[in-house]
Amino acid sequence: MAVTLRALQTVVPPTILIQEQVRDIFAAQPGLTRLAQRLVSTSFNVSGIDTRHTVIAELTLDNDAAQPQFFDAQQQLLLRPSTRVRNELYIEEATKLFVEAGRRALAACPDIRAEDVTHVVTVSCTGFYAPGPDYMLVRELGLNANTQRYHLGFMGCYAAMPALRTAKQFVEADPNAVVLVVSAELCSLHLRTSSDPDTIVASSLFSDGAAAGIVSARAPLPGEKALGLDLFETVITPVGEGDMAWKIGDEGFEMILSTYVPHIIDEHIEEALAPLFARDASITGQLAAGRAADAGPVTVGTGGTLLAPLLTLAPAPSLSSVIEHWAIHPGGRSILDKTEAKLALRTDQLIPSRETLRTNGNMSSATILFVMKAILDAPATADGERVCAMAFGPGLTVESSLMTVVEG
């Protein structure tokens, strides 16, 4: 039974942050060391980001809030609201994004009505409340009161992948199931000024956005492009537990994002992909067929640990030709650079990821869905082409998936 992800839709809040302006504000904050000021300039300049979006309307230079909580525009001063203040704004603004993204997904799937939805899976790591966004989607979208609801919280940037995997499992268990998956992240609520290098890197990258899609066994409509959800895999790298983490502090959530993360991904991305590829006979067959004649036999084990030689000994066909599209979570420009070089991908294959980063920044779990949508929306994307998606998060955890473009 084919299970597809349809009607991918994205939403961003209206307030736009210009990266150069945000850089200058962060660099001018009192209390920063000279080294920190240089790190701010470097981190923002090499981020690969032009614009980001935020739900905090007062983060603009021309705001005239009488009692600002996050940014005093007159003094150009970043304030330090409590976790409670940040979370109260999350409750208000995240609900809007969840509902709007879900509404757009349903509108983009005319053969599926609100009452057809059997399951809701919501994803977020930037705030908490109960009854939560899963409940609000049922109420605001007019879903059945007995709709099954699940929330994946505080998992970080990779969480949309297990959400899709969970949705696929629901449909495989019940072919009549229709699963609405919605991710919304308000990362900008937790940005802060600091001389800490990890905090500076986080402040240069993170932003707000939401995305939604519908997972079911129903075939796409004529002319509609969707993604067949083929395989999913989870791998925890041997190192990196302390290099990417997400904790709750008194003044918001505290992101640990060390500059060593791109190096960890560079060293372990092949072994993280190996078990995924080992489960797909078409891919392993094409890679094995392209090995050099004198390379000797290579066995692909079910654990995937023996696939790495295939990736390095087979100059043709390469991964970039066997798998046409790559949806790589743009955690930062250096992560994309390392991935492109290590897997020998073509420059054009990283355009969806780089453009998502450039125009929207890193929206945590929602970001990978933005990249998938960009791939589907590209005119050249054709029926039957393969897609490999990867997202990275705390642990260091690598979530990957193989998908197939399906055109109705």
Side-chain angles (χ1 to χ4, degrees):
M1 178 180 60
V3 179
T4 59
L5 169 63
R6 301 174 56 193
L8 263 178
Q9 298 295 305
T10 58
V11 183
V12 291
T15 300
I16 300 175
L17 301 177
I18 307 300
Q19 187 76 337
E20 292 179 351
Q21 294 178 354
V22 180
R23 175 201 63 198
D24 294 343
I25 290 171
F26 270 81
Q29 295 305 298
L32 291 183
T33 64
R34 289 187 176 181
L35 175 59
Q37 290 175 335
R38 292 196 295 270
L39 286 175
V40 168
S41 296
T42 300
S43 294
F44 278 76
N45 289 343
V46 303
S47 65
I49 297 171
D50 291 343
T51 56
R52 293 184 274 174
H53 294 80
T54 178
V55 297
I56 308 173
E58 66 184 50
L59 281 183
T60 56
L61 294 175
D62 58 352
N63 87 80
D64 55 355
Q67 295 180 316
Q69 294 181 302
F70 289 84
F71 179 58
D72 186 330
Q74 293 185 349
Q75 300 186 55
Q76 299 286 287
L77 184 65
L78 290 167
L79 307 178
R80 306 184 73 91
S82 67
T83 300
R84 177 175 181 173
V85 169
R86 299 174 196 260
N87 198 64
E88 287 294 326
L89 188 57
Y90 173 88
I91 295 171
E92 178 183 352
E93 297 296 335
T95 300
K96 296 176 185 177
L97 291 179
F98 271 109
V99 172
E100 179 59 24
R103 180 178 288 116
R104 292 187 185 185
L106 285 171
C109 218
D111 61 318
I112 292 179
R113 302 165 299 173
E115 54 266 35
D116 294 331
V117 175
T118 58
H119 301 70
V120 166
V121 180
T122 53
V123 183
S124 191
C125 68
T126 46
F128 299 95
Y129 65 106
D134 51 314
Y135 172 92
M136 299 306 298
L137 284 167
V138 171
R139 288 298 194 196
E140 296 297 321
L141 298 181
L143 307 185
N144 292 324
N146 63 350
T147 300
Q148 297 184 35
R149 313 189 324 263
Y150 303 85
H151 180 72
L152 301 185
F154 224 65
M155 296 180 74
C157 295
Y158 65 78
M161 302 288 277
L164 293 177
R165 180 175 60 235
T166 299
K168 180 176 188 283
Q169 291 168 343
F170 288 150
V171 176
E172 289 174 333
D174 177 6
N176 294 316
V178 174
V179 188
L180 175 62
V181 178
V182 189
S183 167
E185 302 285 14
L186 275 57
C187 306
S188 71
L189 293 177
H190 306 289
L191 301 184
R192 71 198 68 221
T193 177
S194 172
S195 292
D196 175 68
D198 291 346
T199 304
I200 291 172
V201 171
S203 297
S204 71
L205 293 173
F206 285 98
S207 56
D208 305 345
I214 295 174
V215 176
S216 76
R218 303 189 187 188
L221 297 176
E224 176 190 359
K225 290 180 185 176
L227 289 171
L229 302 179
D230 302 331
L231 297 169
F232 289 87
E233 193 64 59
T234 301
V235 171
I236 298 176
T237 60
V239 296
E241 181 177 348
D243 290 283
M244 188 183 295
W246 194 221
K247 300 178 180 179
I248 300 176
D250 293 334
E251 296 176 344
F253 300 170
E254 299 170 356
M255 166 60 76
I256 298 172
L257 185 63
S258 83
T259 55
Y260 192 59
V261 168
H263 300 285
I264 297 173
I265 293 173
D266 181 51
E267 292 175 0
H268 298 284
I269 191 170
E270 286 185 335
E271 63 190 69
L273 282 173
L276 178 73
F277 293 161
R279 294 166 56 199
D280 189 290
S282 172
I283 289 177
T284 55
Q286 290 181 72
L287 290 174
R291 294 182 63 247
D294 59 350
V298 174
T299 301
V300 179
T302 56
T305 56
L306 298 181
L307 184 63
L310 278 178
L311 307 183
T312 55
L313 294 177
S318 64
L319 281 176
S320 62
S321 60
V322 173
I323 302 172
E324 180 61 30
H325 303 286
W326 292 79
I328 307 299
H329 170 66
R333 192 179 77 175
S334 57
I335 289 176
L336 297 179
D337 291 343
K338 293 288 187 181
T339 301
E340 180 179 332
K342 191 72 173 183
L343 300 180
L345 303 181
R346 302 193 310 269
T347 300
D348 62 288
Q349 290 175 312
L350 269 293
I351 288 177
S353 294
R354 293 191 188 277
E355 280 299 295
T356 297
L357 181 67
R358 185 183 68 81
T359 58
N360 295 288
N362 184 344
M363 300 163 285
S364 191
S365 67
T367 319
I368 192 69
L369 300 176
F370 276 67
V371 179
M372 293 179 190
K373 185 177 188 301
I375 290 172
L376 284 178
D377 289 347
T381 300
D383 181 68
E385 292 179 336
R386 303 303 298 276
V387 179
C388 180
M390 295 186 73
F392 318 99
L396 187 80
T397 302
V398 182
E399 288 279 353
S400 60
S401 175
L402 280 172
M403 308 176 185
T404 302
V405 178
V406 181
E407 188 168 0

